Amino acid sequence: MISSKSSFSFLWRNDKILGRVLWASACLSTALLILIAMFLVKESWPVLTSIGITRFITDAGWYPLEKLFGLAPMLGATVIVSTLAVLIAAPLGIASAIFCSFIAPRRIAQAYRSLIALLAGIPSVAYGLWGLTVLVPLIGQFQPPGASLLAASLILSLMILPTIALTTDAAISTVPKSYLQGATALGLTREATIIKVILPAARASIGAGILLAAARALGETMAVLMVAGNVVQFPTSLFDPMRTLTANMALEMAYATGDHRASLFVSGLMLTAIVMALATLAWRLSGGRVHG
Amino acid sequence: MAEMAITRKNNSARDLGLMLVVWSATAIIIAAFTWIIGDFIIHGFERLSWSFLTTSPSNAGRSGGIAPILVSTLLILLIAITVALPIGVATAAFLSEFTRVGGRVRQITTLSLDILAGVPSIVFGLFGNAFFCIWLGLGFSILSGGLTLACMVLPILIRTTQAGLSSVPDEWRRGASALGLSRGAALTHILLPAATPAIAAGLMLGIGRAAAETAALIFTSGYVDRMPSSLDDSGRALAVHIYDLTMNVAGGDANAYASALVLISLLILINSVAVTLTNRYGSQRITAS
Amino acid sequence: MKLEFVSYDECKRADSNIRQLAQPTHEVALAAKGITITYSGARALRDVTLSIARNEITALIGPSGCGKTSFLSSLNRMTDLIPGCKVTGHVYHDGINIHEPKTDVQELRCHIGMIFQKPNPFPLSIRRNLEMPLKEHGLTNAAQRYERIEHALTEVGLWSEVKDRLDQPALALSGGQQQRLCIARALALEPSILLMDEPCSALDPISSAVVEDLIIRLREKYTVVVVTHNLGQAKRIADSVALFWFQDGCGYLVEHTPTDAIFNAAQNAITKAYISGARG
Amino acid sequence: MITMNVLRALGILMAGMSFANLATSAADDTKQPTLAGKLTITGSSTVAPLVAEIGKRFEQLHPGVRIDVQTGGSSRGIADARSGLADIGMASRDLKSDETDIKGHVIARDGIGMIVNAANPVQSLTDAHIIDIYLGKVTNWKDVGGSDMAISVVNKAEGRSTLELFAQHYKLKNSDIKASVIIGDNQQGIKTVSGNPGAIGYVSIGTAEFEAGQGTPIKLLPLGTVAATVENVQNASFPLSRSLTLVTKDEAKDLPKAFIDFARSKDVHDLVKEQFFVPLAE
């Protein structure tokens, strides 16, 4: 028998050591989230204790220099703009995945897929720049000032569209072929097969993809800042300007000190809490098996 | 997917309706894409030249090129990858080879990574500023920026590596185990090499995400547009440069568009590599099993 | 599982009642005693006591789902890899209960090699498939390694077929070649026992015959335990046959007798029915 | 993995190139023997591009010196200078009378002008008009002598010193201002007004003059009777103006002093003009 205690391979032979090393890096990765959460709490602690969390919801406006800390309109705006973006992008993304999987000839589908991948490659500042110079003036012609909920939702939906299209495409491709054969054998039309058989079968993964996209929309900063108008208010129409929590941080962080700065960290904390809720929801939806 | 195409002809109105919706959605997407890219090409292309890539910016970026900014961007990305790759691959290996499916450890770690993946980049920026720049005393530097981005791309890397590992056939695991190989040996010789395309694709995705990042870098790697001479130097990333030229520099638009075109080309290149790798990986899986 | 050290003699004594079933002239290579396997609490196999004679081919037969493969896997503790799987009982090899937690399973699996239903060469070159495990087990001398590789490939009759293309991917080989490569890979580690889980069922008839012949040749040097669904194959290659059956979803061992006895003069009613094709 | 290797090689190459650059510039270091070290300057994003350019010229003159400029805001610049995080802070305003613990050094001046879209027929607005517009009492241009068009009020984000200056001048409280768009940096203001015929905003006069000269559809409105021009800022007749200030904790000496002196000298007037600010009067 070969000696099993060779010095060269002893590290690998001993899975315990390797296990510990890998475990440590997994801990590091997990600790990162805790570290970030702790840091957010620490930075926002001064205002959380001196002002209290309720005033961030109840204050009439956001004028931290005048000691008004109402984040509620921004919280609302963040949720509204992300929801709208998902509502615009999801049908488009799902339709485009259907196009890829069922309608387009193979070559066109491939070309179209790379087009979507390219769309995913456009950085958010570029979307912002385009939005600021093209989209906002365009909307402004009809309904000034142009920088608005609509502009922000449109830009965001363009940004998250590739995510939805690609994940839906992948989800559809995992639906067993036998479903399709079964449906065809039953004489179902193409429309019925897609709508009633394929999409419901891929529902969970599509949902997870959409939630992923929603998280991206919630967290997007620069592009929204450039096109949303940034007025702190509950948007009551599509053409109202509004400010998101991320834009709030980016706009004011560099200029903020003291309580103002700490209250911006409360924005971050709230946002992270929303994302946490979303991620947990996605996780529940997919029964704890989001990724392999 | 073409083999899945349904050939049966159908004339029903609802089928027609679906076709209409799908085709118009596709048309809208293509139109939007052409519009945006076209806009950047029209505005940015004439500024683009070899010397734009190889000279330093002057007059606050209105004229001159982007050489130091490209170097800073690449250095930041390099640090992000060097740090995130080993930790990411190790974590993924731990999750997929050392924890049980449905086990508590795997569930909790996966969930926390999912949350981490959703944390807004600006929060990473603020965290990086407080943790790397101030607490660890690295200051505004390429190092701080790179480390911050490493945190940001870590969940992406872990997720894709884990997916790659989980699609490696179990026969190989059993085979390795039956030969008395340790899990470490199985990982280094068989599982990780087999998952390499997936890891590479994840890496490209991560790089793409990192290269497009503005919010996380403004507060960490900073604003200096000089050629960096060490990793302790502050260095302006391409996306930050574009943002600054657009928002802060009068007459900076032409160079902003040109820089954006460079960044888009860079990202598209990275993305196509990722897509190619993913596709090749997909086909490899078929031939292997 | 109870922690206990048992000497080889003790083990022999403990198995005396089983050994009378096997050929008394041969030593016992592996002795399983009271093996019960549960998956997440559900019993899949109950109380199997069986001893495997040295340098013989023992075939495990029986209908699907009666726990043959589970039992085979418990013989080199591959059952450890299955989440929720629990094995009670003892398996003695060289005087040691291998199910004792202290056992070095990696070394154990070198002694007791395993071949699977589906050939599973690694996505490496032919050479690396054999070389990598040797290196991992500490054989650092390249010349020795090459010798072992050549020897193992010769033993499975693959050397002449692949010696000129050792550095080509193993996955490019045909199914039968792949399976023989997997056998060679196990042999290179110089085991004393080979466990084979339906080694021919994924192969075409011609490759299957080649592998079957190989198994018969292996008997000279190795102890072989083979799970098979193919009664003809069991008849052709096995020295003794163990028939598994199941009742209420749980497998058990019906009998373990020399091949001649089971095929020509079966006593047990179930065995008779299974052999004649009336059941199973 | 090939890509990674390429990236790595590229990085090393680039880093090597930059080291080479440093080495050659260090080799030139013969005429100015004394000054060496690193200066960290943080603060106002308005001042940052100018100081960065001045820094580059200063580095050329004194090859041993490195000047790192980071943006933030004026309040951040002052806080950093005070805490010692930065050697010099940048502020786009004059120091307040109660800020006696720090020293300010004015390097240039900047005027804040009201801009409207070039298509807007309104040629001037009174102070009362501007106040009414910003308080939301007037929401249509026809009420202040223009055409029938809704007014889009462009305001700056909380904490920016431009906003502070503007609000102070018109005695407005930020929470009373009814803005339609809130912007961050200067150029976002110009882009917003140029893309919206009904918009009004306030931006740095120098940049607005430059952009208008480049054909961007905006125009500067006079303040009262004083035209919003760089000349009027320089001769101090334009009321809504501010100083671009470098801030040090104590009386500056050594390297910071040398840099501040340089930044205040005539040698950088061309840079000040290039960044559309107003050099100090001679």
Side-chain angles (χ1 to χ4, degrees), chain B residues 52-263:
Chain B
F52 183 73
L53 298 178
T54 52
T55 54
S56 293
S58 55
N59 193 8
R62 287 179 195 94
S63 46
I66 52 170
I69 289 149
L70 272 179
V71 173
S72 300
T73 310
L74 291 178
L75 287 177
I76 291 169
L77 292 180
L78 202 68
I79 292 172
I81 295 159
T82 325
V83 173
L85 190 64
I87 299 179
V89 170
T91 305
F94 176 76
L95 286 177
S96 82
E97 305 303 318
F98 286 78
T99 61
R100 272 186 306 115
V101 178
R104 179 163 290 182
V105 178
R106 187 185 280 200
Q107 283 194 330
I108 290 176
T109 317
T110 311
L111 177 62
S112 69
L113 287 171
D114 279 354
I115 296 171
L116 202 61
V119 169
S121 55
I122 183 145
V123 171
F124 276 105
L126 299 180
F127 166 74
N129 177 269
F131 188 70
F132 296 118
C133 300
I134 296 170
W135 202 71
L136 292 181
L138 299 175
F140 279 102
S141 63
I142 288 174
L143 199 58
S144 301
L147 290 173
T148 307
L149 289 190
C151 299
M152 220 180 83
V153 300
L154 193 61
I156 301 176
L157 267 178
I158 296 173
R159 190 181 281 181
T160 47
T161 307
Q162 209 188 334
L165 281 174
S166 73
S167 57
V168 175
D170 261 348
E171 286 112 66
W172 292 342
R173 288 190 183 83
R174 252 183 292 149
S177 192
L179 289 168
L181 296 181
S182 63
R183 279 186 285 195
L187 265 172
T188 45
H189 293 297
I190 301 154
L191 304 180
L192 285 179
T196 302
I199 299 172
L203 195 63
M204 293 292 131
L205 276 178
I207 294 175
R209 176 96 196 266
E213 189 46 51
T214 316
L217 288 178
I218 284 184
F219 299 112
T220 52
S221 72
Y223 183 77
V224 173
D225 62 1
R226 195 184 324 104
M227 183 65 82
S229 59
S230 82
L231 298 181
D232 284 338
D233 280 353
S234 164
R236 191 191 289 198
L238 204 45
V240 174
H241 187 58
I242 298 167
Y243 182 75
D244 189 60
L245 285 181
T246 318
M247 303 287 274
N248 202 28
V249 175
D253 278 2
N255 269 3
Y257 275 110
S259 308
L261 209 53
V262 172
L263 182 54

Side-chain angles (χ1 to χ4, degrees), chain D residues 187-208:
Chain D
Q187 276 310 104
Q188 195 180 3
I190 290 177
K191 287 195 170 70
T192 306
V193 174
S194 68
N196 181 344
I200 179 168
Y202 51 91
V203 295
S204 177
I205 288 177
T207 56

Side-chain angles (χ1 to χ4, degrees), chain A residues 1-4 8-9 13, chain C residues 106-107 110 136-137 140 148:
Chain A
M1 191 53 223
I2 305 160
S3 149
S4 58
F8 287 96
S9 53
R13 283 196 68 90
Chain C
Q106 288 167 12
E107 195 168 336
C110 293
E136 282 299 320
H137 285 294
T140 46
R148 286 255 196 128

Side-chain angles (χ1 to χ4, degrees), chain D:
Chain D
M1 288 307 99
I2 296 162
T3 333
M4 251 202 70
N5 283 337
V6 171
L7 265 184
R8 185 176 297 155
L10 207 62
I12 292 168
L13 191 76
M14 295 284 199
M17 271 163 52
S18 58
F19 278 122
N21 280 351
L22 197 71
T24 49
S25 55
D28 292 339
D29 190 10
T30 41
K31 42 191 192 287
Q32 292 278 345
T34 47
L35 287 173
K38 182 171 158 180
L39 270 185
T40 303
I41 305 177
T42 67
S44 162
S45 63
T46 311
V47 193
L50 171 62
V51 174
E53 289 300 319
I54 296 177
K56 274 184 204 163
R57 183 170 292 178
F58 193 72
E59 282 175 2
Q60 274 172 3
L61 294 172
H62 308 279
V65 177
R66 289 187 65 87
I67 290 166
D68 277 4
V69 179
Q70 304 293 351
T71 52
S74 299
S75 38
R76 185 68 167 278
I78 289 168
D80 283 355
R82 196 174 266 149
S83 70
L85 251 167
D87 302 302
I88 300 174
M90 297 176 286
S92 53
R93 58 171 172 82
D94 300 273
L95 290 189
K96 292 171 192 161
S97 51
D98 57 346
E99 291 171 325
T100 50
D101 56 328
I102 44 177
K103 300 279 177 288
H105 316 267
V106 176
I107 56 169
R109 290 191 68 75
D110 182 30
I112 304 295
M114 305 302 302
I115 54 167
V116 292
N117 192 285
N120 194 328
V122 170
Q123 293 302 325
S124 70
L125 289 171
T126 64
D127 282 4
H129 281 156
I130 290 174
I131 291 170
D132 284 350
I133 287 172
Y134 270 83
L135 289 179
K137 289 177 187 162
V138 172
T139 56
N140 196 303
W141 285 108
K142 67 172 191 259
D143 297 336
V144 290
S147 46
D148 183 8
M149 186 161 51
I151 301 177
S152 295
V153 175
V154 180
N155 194 23
K156 279 212 144 197
E158 182 116 10
R160 312 262 167 164
S161 54
T162 324
L163 165 65
E164 221 172 286
L165 184 73
F166 174 81
Q168 211 174 24
H169 181 80
Y170 288 107
K171 307 204 166 40
L172 293 168
K173 222 170 102 188
N174 190 27
S175 50
D176 295 333
I177 293 176
K178 299 279 182 288
S180 324
V181 178
I182 290 176
I183 53 152
D185 294 317
N186 201 60
Q187 276 310 104
Q188 195 180 3
I190 290 177
K191 287 195 170 70
T192 306
V193 174
S194 68
N196 181 344
I200 179 168
Y202 51 91
V203 295
S204 177
I205 288 177
T207 56
E209 249 183 9
F210 167 77
E211 287 282 350
Q214 293 288 304
T216 309
I218 54 166
K219 68 179 172 195
L220 278 156
L221 296 181
L223 215 62
T225 55
V226 188
T229 60
V230 168
E231 287 73 40
N232 286 343
V233 175
Q234 192 162 24
N235 64 30
S237 62
F238 192 78
L240 194 52
S241 73
R242 57 181 175 175
S243 304
L244 305 187
T245 312
L246 292 182
V247 180
T248 51
K249 193 178 174 196
D250 309 302
E251 206 57 66
K253 43 182 186 284
D254 304 335
L255 185 55
K257 182 175 187 333
F259 180 75
I260 290 168
D261 289 344
F262 179 70
R264 285 168 59 85
S265 72
K266 249 165 49 182
D267 298 347
V268 300
H269 279 190
D270 57 324
L271 295 178
V272 174
K273 283 179 191 149
E274 263 178 18
Q275 303 302 323
F276 313 113
F277 296 123
V278 183
L280 299 177
E282 281 142 39

